[in-house]
Amino acid sequence: MILLDGKAVSAKMKERVKNEAVKLKNSGVEPALAVILVGEDKASQTYVASKEKACHACDIKSIMHRLPEQTTQSELLALIDLLNLDDSIDGILVQLPLPKHINTDKILESISPNKDVDGFHAINVGKLSSGLDGFVPCTPLGIMEILKEYDIDVSGKNACVIGRSNIVGKPMANLLLNASATVTVTHSKTKNLKEICKNSDILVAAIGKPFFVTEDMVKDGAIVIDVGINRLDDGRLVGDVDFDSVAPKCSYITPVPGGVGPMTIAMLLSNTIKSAKNRVKKA
Ligand code: NAD
């Protein structure tokens, strides 16, 4: 069994990003990411702080907009409009979840698809599903990067994605399909989940339930990718896969922490660089 070291792959990616950022800066284009946080959600504050820190470490300018909880939808839309028009901004990220009085879909659709470094805009979702170049959500993109780094060819393999969220499950399925895997997307209403999993060469777990994937669900020699991040009552951070029982059966597996998690921010930075390069092409 080989442990897929997302921490190491993300460090390599961040190094690449930093080199690109310096090159762009020297040519007169400073890559810049605008991050909008509305409200006081503690987890969101932590995520935003790590994104800001990662930007600084990689020579990407980060412009933070911390807005109060009572910010109205029109105020938020007005800020996004300004950022859309600002040629010095390459990426716009609105930290989710938004307060309940704001319509998330409306906000995500208001971000210019050319600055949508999270890859959530319908245009980018459509591009991914058509196999066209666009922005791809960071977590599944990071998983593809890990697979690439370990020379794992998914072509022709049976892949099962557990979870169908817009952020992880669906884009993951599209990326695997675009890379010529045979993909089954499963979810809470799936009837024969164990059987599907057991037939899969690649198993991606994105459910949000600790220890959900057990040894009896996994094919011998499978590649198992654990997207889950679950905090147990005792404070431990665990994935969706029962690592101790599943790992001995796998050819490759991602640990939690240190697997998929670190890739998400690295790919956000990489998407920002991609956007800055597009800015250069347009100039
Ligand atoms: P979500 O709640 O939006 O989706 C969960 C999915 O799991 C749903 O599609 C649901 O149908 C499926 N599901 C629930 N119960 C099931 C069952 N019994 N059988 C089969 N499928 C079932 O969650 P999400 O946003 O996709 O996140 C999933 C997990 O990944 C969470 O733990 C989240 O914290 C983690 N996550 C990690 C990263 C990262 O950077 N590593 C990024 C995003 C999400």
Side-chain angles (χ1 to χ4, degrees):
M1 180 274 294
I2 294 173
L3 212 55
L4 296 168
D5 185 348
K7 217 172 155 190
V9 180
S10 81
K12 206 166 156 183
M13 173 58 70
K14 283 183 184 162
E15 199 52 45
R16 218 177 299 158
V17 162
K18 191 177 169 136
N19 289 338
E20 301 261 25
V22 171
K23 254 194 249 165
L24 282 160
K25 238 178 176 173
N26 291 342
S27 69
V29 170
E30 182 178 23
L33 173 68
V35 179
I36 306 174
L37 172 64
V38 185
E40 306 292 326
D41 183 78
K42 281 275 170 289
S44 294
Q45 283 175 346
T46 312
Y47 292 139
V48 160
S50 7
K51 286 168 188 173
E52 206 178 1
K53 198 171 144 202
C55 278
H56 290 155
C58 291
D59 265 321
I60 292 176
K61 186 172 172 188
S62 81
I63 300 115
M64 280 302 310
H65 293 270
R66 290 187 166 85
L67 307 179
E69 179 83 25
Q70 62 273 22
T71 302
T72 64
Q73 182 165 301
S74 6
E75 284 168 335
L76 183 53
L77 287 170
L79 171 60
I80 293 171
D81 271 351
L82 282 178
L83 296 170
N84 281 338
L85 292 170
D86 185 341
D87 287 338
S88 69
I89 301 287
D90 298 297
I92 303 170
L93 181 151
V94 176
Q95 185 64 47
L96 301 180
L98 286 166
K100 288 204 168 45
H101 64 277
I102 296 177
N103 180 331
T104 302
D105 291 338
K106 204 155 185 175
I107 296 301
L108 295 180
E109 291 310 302
S110 75
I111 297 172
S112 160
N114 300 324
K115 299 189 179 189
D116 171 39
V117 285
D118 256 341
F120 295 161
H121 193 287
I123 296 239
N124 284 315
V125 174
K127 282 187 172 176
L128 173 60
S129 102
S130 306
L132 299 172
D133 185 38
F135 289 110
V136 175
C138 302
T139 303
L141 187 62
I143 293 171
M144 295 309 284
E145 190 61 35
I146 294 179
L147 295 174
K148 199 162 96 191
E149 200 56 43
Y150 281 83
D151 280 327
I152 298 171
D153 184 9
V154 306
S155 173
K157 292 197 168 71
N158 286 337
C160 170
V161 179
I162 316 179
R164 57 172 160 180
S165 71
N166 291 339
I167 295 172
V168 187
K170 284 183 198 158
M172 185 73 245
N174 272 321
L175 283 166
L176 288 166
L177 187 59
N178 291 348
S180 300
T182 303
V183 185
T184 308
V185 185
T186 61
H187 46 81
S188 54
K189 300 282 189 290
T190 299
K191 294 238 154 58
N192 48 345
L193 181 67
K194 186 172 158 183
E195 189 188 322
I196 298 169
C197 291
K198 196 91 187 152
N199 273 323
S200 302
D201 308 306
I202 301 171
L203 189 58
V204 181
I207 310 143
K209 293 189 174 163
F211 312 121
F212 184 89
V213 175
T214 45
E215 174 268 328
D216 56 329
M217 296 167 78
V218 177
K219 183 179 177 178
D220 275 323
I223 298 154
V224 173
I225 307 291
D226 190 352
V227 187
I229 302 178
N230 309 291
R231 180 75 65 186
L232 299 182
D233 290 342
D234 63 9
R236 261 190 314 147
L237 204 64
V238 298
D240 290 344
V241 175
D242 181 15
F243 185 90
D244 291 343
S245 73
V246 169
K249 288 190 88 173
C250 300
S251 54
Y252 297 90
I253 186 167
T254 57
V256 176
V260 175
M263 290 308 295
T264 301
I265 290 185
M267 300 322 289
L268 172 68
L269 304 176
S270 169
N271 277 350
T272 305
I273 293 292
K274 176 176 169 152
S275 183
K277 283 183 176 168
N278 289 342
R279 170 149 60 115
V280 175
K281 277 187 218 152
K282 272 191 244 145

